[in-house]
Amino acid sequence: MAEETKTQDMEEKVTTKSVVTEEVKEKLEDAATSLVEKAQDAKHPWYTKVALYIVAVILGGGAFLFANFGDTIMAIIEKWLNGLAQ
């Protein structure tokens, strides 16, 4: 009985991490897309466009990392925060 409860808790925890990871990935993708759209505006000077594209690439890279390694990243962040709490 106790093992079933542990298994259910672990499944819920993994599902929660997966949902959070997916949300973070989507937010990063949306932010990168928004920055690219702003950079395409003709009224911005060239250096502003370059800065927007650089930030968009960084956000896109973060989205890629969360898409592929999101659960691992969330586990590392969780351990890090637990270490800070102690």
Side-chain angles (χ1 to χ4, degrees), residues 61-75:
F64 173 79
L65 290 174
F66 266 93
N68 293 309
F69 309 108
D71 292 334
T72 305
I73 293 170
M74 294 302 290

Side-chain angles (χ1 to χ4, degrees), residues 24-82:
V24 169
K25 180 185 73 87
E26 288 176 9
K27 296 274 186 189
L28 288 171
E29 288 175 347
D30 291 343
T33 303
S34 174
L35 286 175
V36 169
E37 290 171 359
K38 286 182 183 179
Q40 292 174 346
D41 191 5
K43 63 183 174 183
H44 292 297
W46 68 269
Y47 49 86
T48 303
K49 290 181 181 185
V50 169
L52 289 172
Y53 280 124
I54 290 171
V55 174
V57 167
I58 292 169
L59 291 175
F64 173 79
L65 290 174
F66 266 93
N68 293 309
F69 309 108
D71 292 334
T72 305
I73 293 170
M74 294 302 290
I76 291 169
I77 291 171
E78 181 180 1
K79 288 179 183 177
W80 179 68
L81 290 175
N82 285 336

